[in-house]
Amino acid sequence: MGLRLHVNELLKINPAPSPWPRMVVCAFATMIPLIVGTALHQLPISIFGALFGFLLVLNDHLGTLGHRLWVITLTFLCLLAGLTLGVLTGGQKVLLIPLLLGLTYWLGLISTQGAELERAVLFSVFQILAGAYSPAVAKYLSLSLVYAFLGYLCVIVALSILVFVRRHNPNPFARIRETFKKSLTKEKSRHLYALSFSLAVLITLLVVDYFQMSHGYWAVGTVLIIMRPEAKASIYRIIQRFFGTLVGVLVAELIILSVHSVWIAIPLIGFISFWGPWSLSRSYWLGSAVIVTMLLVLLDLPSIETGDLHTPLIRLQATGIGCLFGLLGVVMANPQVLWRDNPPPS
């Protein structure tokens, strides 16, 4: 395949039906915790509720209403458990590292086997990292959990109303129990990938900790997102992730420089999150750009009046580092990519 075809493949926008109900729920569940938090002068803590609401919608895969509510509830419990475990193990690497290695190894085993369980575990690992590396979370853990529950409640209520009001045709879905059974495999190739995956995460964590990089756990999160069992898919995701992040950082910087009112920024965050499910269904790079834009504006919301551009630049740096270590993980999982054209002598 020539370079031009690779570029077209990387940047193409796939035709797909617009998931309007999920888009509406996503905007609603992101905005309501922020509005409540601002009204109660608890905006920095309410960001957790917005993040929980956003992530829960991303793991809604349009099955029957009962299945969707079960998956959202299970994902919510995984997020809560992850955040709590992160707070409890923060500063105790002897506990944190084995916990992360165990979960990432399992994540490697269930990769591509069932999107719902895989994303629930992935999001829980994100929360472990956030809890372990964000001191403010430990200080306000109880209040953070209250806002997290508010985000969950917004998703459940909005989704249920939309399903009853609008005709709903359930899509096929993979049952979580079946996905769990598939992870109990003895297939050597899947265990080799899981080992490479967890080692890539460990190496990234140790490097960012050693150099005390600001928000270094974002780099670890990048590795978790971009690595896939197939080498070509991983390399595509690495390029798309960095390009999407670059676009998201540029857009977020323009918004942060232009908007200096919380009450203007919150509807804008809702508008951006509204397009999150749509963008992910169309293209990975476009989805990355929209999500990064929303997250950066959301994280800078407490200081939006000053127009601080520090966070977007840190995000771009962390993504670049994560992409490099993700590439290392791809090579560890698929060493044959080094000699695809010239295989070593047998």
Side-chain angles (χ1 to χ4, degrees):
M1 185 184 289
L3 178 61
R4 186 171 182 177
L5 291 177
H6 280 299
V7 172
N8 290 338
E9 187 72 17
L10 286 166
L11 298 180
K12 73 176 182 180
I13 306 297
N14 300 311
S18 298
W20 297 112
R22 291 174 63 205
M23 295 162 68
V24 171
V25 175
C26 200
F28 180 78
T30 304
M31 289 177 57
I32 295 301
L34 297 176
I35 293 173
V36 173
T38 303
L40 298 178
H41 305 289
Q42 297 170 342
L43 177 60
I45 307 302
S46 68
I47 288 175
F48 279 94
L51 286 173
F52 267 62
F54 184 76
L55 291 175
L56 291 174
V57 177
L58 293 188
N59 203 25
D60 175 21
H61 284 254
L62 302 180
T64 63
L65 177 60
H67 176 76
R68 294 169 72 178
L69 296 179
W70 156 238
V71 169
I72 290 170
T73 301
L74 177 63
T75 305
F76 173 67
L77 295 176
C78 287
L79 291 172
L80 285 185
L83 187 63
T84 305
L85 286 172
V87 170
L88 294 176
T89 58
Q92 303 181 57
K93 294 296 189 296
V94 68
L95 297 176
L96 178 62
I97 289 178
L99 176 63
L100 286 175
L101 286 179
L103 286 175
T104 52
Y105 191 93
W106 185 35
L107 192 56
L109 290 178
I110 62 177
S111 181
T112 72
Q113 300 301 309
E116 293 169 337
L117 183 58
E118 180 183 351
R119 286 191 183 183
V121 177
L122 175 64
F123 293 163
S124 70
V125 175
F126 288 166
Q127 295 304 312
I128 289 174
L129 292 169
Y133 287 92
S134 301
V137 179
K139 185 176 180 181
Y140 300 103
L141 179 59
S142 298
L143 192 56
S144 298
L145 296 181
V146 170
Y147 278 101
F149 181 76
L150 176 60
Y152 163 76
L153 196 61
C154 288
V155 174
I156 294 296
V157 171
L159 177 62
S160 299
I161 292 174
L162 283 173
V163 168
F164 283 113
V165 170
R166 186 177 182 272
R167 176 179 289 185
H168 171 61
N169 295 317
N171 289 349
F173 56 88
R175 295 192 178 276
I176 291 178
R177 184 181 299 178
E178 294 175 0
T179 304
F180 178 77
K181 289 181 179 179
K182 288 180 180 179
S183 70
L184 305 177
T185 179
K186 295 182 180 179
E187 189 177 335
K188 184 178 178 180
S189 61
R190 285 171 60 184
H191 281 277
L192 287 175
Y193 169 73
L195 178 61
S196 301
F197 184 58
S198 56
L199 284 177
V201 170
L202 175 62
I203 293 170
T204 309
L205 181 67
L206 293 177
V207 169
V208 298
D209 274 359
Y210 179 80
F211 289 103
Q212 297 182 342
M213 296 179 181
S214 178
H215 291 76
Y217 66 94
W218 285 353
V220 180
T222 298
V223 176
L224 288 166
I225 292 172
I226 61 178
M227 275 193 68
R228 309 303 292 168
E230 206 273 322
K232 180 181 175 181
S234 296
I235 293 172
Y236 272 22
R237 285 171 74 92
I238 289 171
I239 298 171
Q240 291 172 321
R241 182 70 184 180
F242 187 78
F243 177 68
T245 300
L246 178 60
V247 173
V249 165
L250 293 176
V251 175
E253 286 187 340
L254 289 174
I255 293 173
I256 293 170
L257 282 173
S258 305
V259 178
H260 302 295
S261 168
V262 169
W263 292 110
I264 296 176
I266 290 176
L268 186 57
I269 289 171
F271 177 76
I272 298 171
S273 65
F274 174 81
W275 294 104
W278 176 88
S279 62
L280 283 172
S281 68
R282 298 304 175 98
S283 171
Y284 183 69
W285 76 263
L286 182 61
S288 297
V290 172
I291 291 174
V292 166
T293 302
M294 193 279 294
L295 289 177
L296 290 177
V297 178
L298 179 63
L299 293 174
D300 264 20
L301 193 57
S303 58
I304 196 74
E305 295 179 358
T306 62
D308 184 13
L309 300 178
H310 190 55
T311 303
L313 296 177
I314 291 177
R315 183 74 184 199
L316 184 61
Q317 173 186 279
T319 299
I321 294 170
C323 286
L324 287 176
F325 284 104
L327 184 60
L328 173 63
V330 172
V331 174
M332 288 192 298
N334 304 274
Q336 68 274 13
V337 299
L338 297 176
W339 57 72
R340 177 160 294 178
D341 296 325
N342 297 290
S346 55

